[in-house]
Amino acid sequence: MTDAMSPRRVFYLTTPIYYVNARPHLGHAYTTIVADAMCRYRRLAGDLVFFLTGTDEHGDKIAQAAHKAGETPLRFADRNSAAFRSQWEALGITHDDFIRTTEPRHEAIVREILQRLWDKGDEIYFGKYGGHYCFGCERFYTEREIVDGKCPDHQTPLTYIEEENYFFRMSKYQEWLRRELEEHPDRVRPDRYRNELLGFLREPLEDLCISRPTSRLDWGIPLPFDQRFVTYVWFDALINYVSALGPLDGERFRTLWPHVEHLIGKDILKPHGIYWPCMLKAAGLPVYRRLNVHGYWSLGGGKMSKSVGNVVEALALTEKYGHDAFRYFVMREMPFGLDADFSEEALVARLNADLANDLGNLVARATTLLKGMGTLVKAGKGDQEVARAAAGTVDAVARAMEEFQFHRALAEIWAFIAVVNRYIDTTQPWALVKGGLQDPLRFDTVLVTLADALGFLGIILEPFLPNAAKRIREEALGHQGALRLQDAVVGRDTRSGGLKVAKLSGLFPRVDDKKPQVLPATPAAVPAAAMPRLSIDEFRRLDLRVAEVVDAERVPKSKKLLRLTVKLGEETRTLVAGIAEHYAPEALRGRKVVVVANLEPATLMGVTSDGMILAGSHGDTLALLVLDRDLPSGAKVR
Ligand code: MSP
């Protein structure tokens, strides 16, 4: 704990900057939530904190996604970057800065660093390269890394590309980096990721291709020394961590950079653990203080790829169950550094057991007692058992947070909650007043202890459950003012003097878990209000039309599929619809239905479907969308 007299520790924490080709999802939210909890904790401890996040907006991936969406890359990036920003706002993330790689402040520093390396003469050279490229990862894969001819991350085929480009002479830093990692065992943690990096460094390190010809890709920062090329997206993105601090000889940079800690998922270990330190070294900048690496979430037991839509729906559960419950679940469930599985059932189980039962009941019981006694709680020393448990918890949480072990910090706080629940059970404060107050001193001590324990929870829970902690502090205890970890003490003489307590029940209402809804199977379980919003422009890109079914037949060997021939005005199309268990083919001929006309064709059981018929469903019932008044086929639906 920081005492008021000691100099403030400085803490600069970064999340990765997120690609704007995807909507914010569970994976992004996890990284951002743990970063937020860490920064809140360090602020509570009195440290000077700077928390950076942002969006990564250049490169093939974004250019392709923008093209698909029929937008310019910048317009596309503007919209999606804003979606990240508003998602973090909704989740109450307390970042100090949000950087976009399309901002002039970033582009200027990327150019400055490139120019620095170019001017040194031996850092960057022009050469020819042929290699297997993954458009998803935006990088070349070496033969050793390729699995079954595919990208090990995306499991998609790689494209062989040969072109002339600029290269960063990374190979010359191999020995230096190996020594760095040997000499600074806590530079990368958990340790398994440092070992993984040392493993990479046992093989010869290849130079890094740092440009893309504008003939192939022009969505990027032009190289200052050759405008025919733009900067490779990783060489651009990694620099955000320094460009956000302003000029490299400025005050902010000098104050914060020596303390920087990066937080990333394991999929981006190599760029952060290999490219980035070599880039910093070459640019004459000190290496980061620490790289903290977390594992990967899977969904419902399956492997979660970066492109699965369910991860977006998983994040929508924050609306259904509350932000605090979601935060609690992801931090409690995933031991930092290891992989974990996300399911709605597991979230509900933790919500009911840990939040509603252990914490919620404690707060309800204690505030009922404190209020029910009509008490203005008097000052006095708390019971030693609870006081000692509180002091032990502060230390244990500090140790866990030092290691980014969020699940352990929470387990420690819950051990304290169990102590207080037991304390109520054994002291039976309500029995102390039965038939007249026999031992007023004892009674006061118990009440003071409980009020202190609640005050303690209102502080120590703040990084993890900011809303619930605020309610305990303000609604139940009427505490206002500065929030400091050093005030999280049970049993200090004067703390609870003259406190007026209000009853706080239902802090975390129980959720009915009789019918648990498993995410991947029932995406409709997400309430409409929780679904991410579309802009009117996004909606307009859907081409919905009235279609007349002119023929319908079963798809051979399929129980579910019908092959429909429909007319859209003058045009005739084939559609495949999974409605054979609900509609006989003859019942459809001549009917007018609604279809999505501009979907990319998909082949189902050998038949290519050029569009999709719209239907609603509930349980086993399926109903087609039809018109309540006649319109010609091809008419637009909006
Ligand atoms: N733009 C790059 C990072 C550049 S940093 C200089 C990028 N962006 S990303 O949007 O694809 O991913 C960002 C973060 O989300 C990474 O830390 C990644 O590990 C995390 N996750 C994405 N999916 C995830 C899971 N399924 N589980 C846990 N985290 C995951 O990479």
Side-chain angles (χ1 to χ4, degrees):
M1 209 200 302
T2 316
D3 94 44
M5 298 307 288
S6 61
R8 292 177 87 190
R9 287 201 302 176
V10 179
F11 183 59
Y12 170 31
L13 187 68
T14 71
T15 72
I17 46 171
Y18 303 104
Y19 283 127
V20 290
N21 65 330
R23 288 214 306 271
H25 62 56
L26 166 66
H28 307 131
Y30 175 73
T31 317
T32 316
I33 286 171
V34 294
D36 181 64
M38 182 54 74
C39 288
R40 285 175 183 261
Y41 176 76
R42 299 288 295 257
R43 286 188 203 109
L44 203 58
D47 297 351
L48 177 77
V49 173
F50 190 78
F51 171 13
L52 175 70
T53 190
T55 43
D56 186 355
E57 306 182 7
H58 290 128
D60 283 318
K61 227 191 258 202
I62 315 296
Q64 278 170 10
H67 181 73
K68 238 181 172 167
E71 279 178 323
T72 64
L74 185 58
R75 162 99 187 82
F76 179 79
D78 281 347
R79 209 160 37 77
N80 289 347
S81 176
F84 276 91
R85 208 190 266 267
S86 59
Q87 178 68 68
W88 302 153
E89 207 167 289
L91 286 181
I93 301 299
T94 58
H95 51 279
D96 296 291
D97 197 356
F98 187 103
I99 188 153
R100 302 181 54 188
T101 53
T102 45
E103 286 178 74
R105 62 169 171 159
H106 172 72
E107 299 194 352
I109 299 228
V110 170
R111 276 196 300 273
E112 180 184 334
I113 289 182
L114 281 164
Q115 191 66 51
R116 255 194 212 190
L117 302 197
W118 181 249
D119 292 344
K120 279 173 85 176
D122 186 38
E123 303 293 341
I124 292 177
Y125 63 89
F126 194 59
K128 194 173 187 135
Y129 185 77
H132 301 279
Y133 192 77
C134 170
F135 282 92
C137 300
E138 312 217 19
R139 77 168 174 98
F140 287 100
Y141 273 91
T142 60
E143 296 291 350
R144 252 183 310 110
E145 292 174 302
I146 299 172
V147 179
D148 299 332
K150 293 181 180 159
C151 162
D153 201 5
H154 290 85
Q155 271 136 45
T156 47
L158 297 156
T159 310
Y160 188 81
I161 294 186
E162 205 177 55
E163 63 193 15
E164 285 194 306
N165 265 312
Y166 284 90
F167 289 81
F168 167 45
R169 209 180 290 286
M170 199 158 70
S171 51
K172 77 176 193 190
Y173 295 104
Q174 171 152 9
E175 193 39 34
W176 163 81
L177 184 56
R178 200 189 54 73
R179 254 184 295 112
E180 274 283 310
L181 289 172
E182 297 282 5
E183 285 165 16
H184 301 277
D186 63 347
R187 167 86 19 106
V188 178
R189 64 185 181 188
D191 216 34
R192 69 170 62 78
Y193 297 111
R194 182 176 77 112
N195 291 333
E196 203 173 317
L197 291 174
L198 286 168
F200 285 136
L201 293 170
R202 273 193 281 278
E203 308 289 334
L205 193 58
E206 287 176 20
D207 289 341
L208 182 67
C209 177
I210 58 159
S211 65
R212 299 287 178 263
T214 44
S215 54
R216 176 155 75 79
L217 171 78
D218 61 1
W219 179 235
I221 303 174
L223 296 181
F225 43 83
D226 190 341
Q227 303 284 315
R228 294 172 305 150
F229 293 85
V230 292
T231 313
Y232 166 47
V233 66
W234 272 106
F235 207 91
D236 160 354
L238 287 160
I239 290 173
N240 89 88
Y241 303 133
V242 295
S243 68
L245 301 185
L248 300 178
D249 53 2
E251 181 58 28
R252 202 146 79 126
F253 185 83
R254 267 200 303 279
T255 311
L256 295 173
W257 185 250
H259 307 279
V260 62
E261 296 208 21
H262 299 308
L263 172 66
I264 59 163
K266 66 178 187 181
D267 55 322
I268 51 178
L269 176 65
K270 194 171 184 183
H272 285 81
I274 307 272
Y275 310 170
W276 183 222
C278 295
M279 286 165 64
L280 287 165
K281 177 78 178 156
L285 298 170
V287 179
Y288 49 78
R289 179 177 149 81
R290 195 165 280 140
L291 182 62
N292 301 284
V293 188
H294 67 71
Y296 235 61
W297 282 101
S298 56
L299 262 193
K303 179 162 167 26
M304 181 168 87
S305 98
K306 285 195 173 187
S307 50
V308 176
N310 278 330
V311 287
V312 175
E313 276 146 26
L315 179 54
L317 294 182
T318 51
E319 301 303 326
K320 185 169 176 188
Y321 297 111
H323 296 167
D324 277 6
F326 189 86
R327 279 172 82 101
Y328 177 79
F329 177 75
V330 292
M331 286 192 268
R332 183 67 186 84
E333 195 75 4
M334 176 180 264
F336 190 84
L338 301 179
D339 295 345
D341 189 55
F342 186 99
S343 74
E344 189 171 357
E345 276 167 305
L347 192 160
V348 168
R350 282 230 180 257
L351 169 57
N352 284 340
D354 302 2
L355 298 176
N357 221 28
D358 297 344
L359 174 62
N361 281 350
L362 168 63
V363 173
R365 282 210 295 172
T367 54
T368 307
L369 270 168
L370 289 160
K371 177 179 177 281
M373 304 303 177
T375 327
L376 213 57
V377 178
K378 290 206 202 88
K381 265 208 183 302
D383 263 7
Q384 285 313 303
E385 179 201 356
V386 180
R388 266 197 307 272
T393 305
V394 171
D395 292 343
V397 168
R399 280 193 302 275
M401 293 303 272
E402 205 51 57
E403 298 287 312
F404 275 60
Q405 293 296 332
F406 303 89
H407 76 294
R408 242 177 44 214
L410 286 168
E412 295 291 348
I413 299 174
W414 257 254
F416 174 78
I417 291 172
V419 167
V420 187
N421 270 321
R422 261 200 321 273
Y423 179 77
I424 301 183
D425 295 342
T426 51
T427 53
Q428 305 207 329
W430 50 90
L432 288 173
V433 278
K434 235 185 192 155
L437 190 53
Q438 309 295 329
D439 184 352
L441 208 64
R442 177 74 193 130
F443 182 67
D444 269 6
T445 305
V446 172
L447 290 195
V448 166
T449 305
L450 288 180
D452 269 6
L454 288 183
F456 176 83
L457 287 171
I459 298 174
I460 198 101
L461 283 174
E462 196 274 341
F464 311 98
L465 307 176
N467 301 325
K470 187 167 192 266
R471 290 189 67 193
I472 295 174
R473 285 193 314 274
E474 297 181 4
E475 250 175 75
L477 302 175
H479 286 175
Q480 300 286 349
L483 200 58
R484 304 180 310 176
L485 192 55
Q486 66 200 73
D487 293 331
V489 180
V490 173
R492 197 158 57 191
D493 266 335
T494 54
R495 230 179 87 58
S496 307
L499 200 66
K500 185 115 183 81
V501 176
K503 181 174 170 183
L504 178 53
S505 56
L507 188 59
F508 289 100
R510 267 190 79 82
V511 171
D512 178 12
D513 56 0
K514 294 287 173 305
K515 286 178 251 131
Q517 296 139 340
V518 184
L519 250 179
T522 54
V526 179
M531 290 304 285
R533 296 303 169 115
L534 292 185
S535 69
I536 188 74
D537 288 345
E538 282 171 309
F539 174 74
R540 280 202 193 110
R541 291 215 307 279
L542 270 182
D543 187 27
L544 300 176
R545 303 271 174 172
V546 173
E548 181 177 353
V549 181
V550 288
D551 198 8
E553 60 189 16
R554 290 184 171 278
V555 171
K557 295 205 201 94
S558 169
K559 259 191 11 214
K560 295 196 172 146
L561 300 182
L562 289 185
R563 178 184 198 276
L564 307 177
T565 308
V566 300
K567 273 190 102 55
L568 289 176
E570 296 302 301
E571 196 188 341
T572 303
R573 289 203 194 179
T574 300
L575 258 60
V576 180
I579 56 173
E581 290 167 311
H582 305 271
Y583 290 89
E586 50 283 4
L588 293 171
R589 285 184 202 119
R591 295 191 72 167
K592 293 217 172 122
V593 293
V594 178
V595 301
V596 187
N598 62 340
L599 269 189
E600 281 179 2
T603 303
L604 302 161
M605 301 283 287
V607 187
T608 300
S609 179
D610 191 5
M612 185 176 81
I613 187 163
L614 290 181
S617 68
H618 180 74
D620 293 334
T621 312
L622 182 134
L624 287 178
L625 258 71
V626 292
L627 304 174
D628 72 348
R629 190 171 291 161
D630 194 39
L631 286 174
S633 80
K636 186 97 181 112
V637 177
R638 46 175 76 91

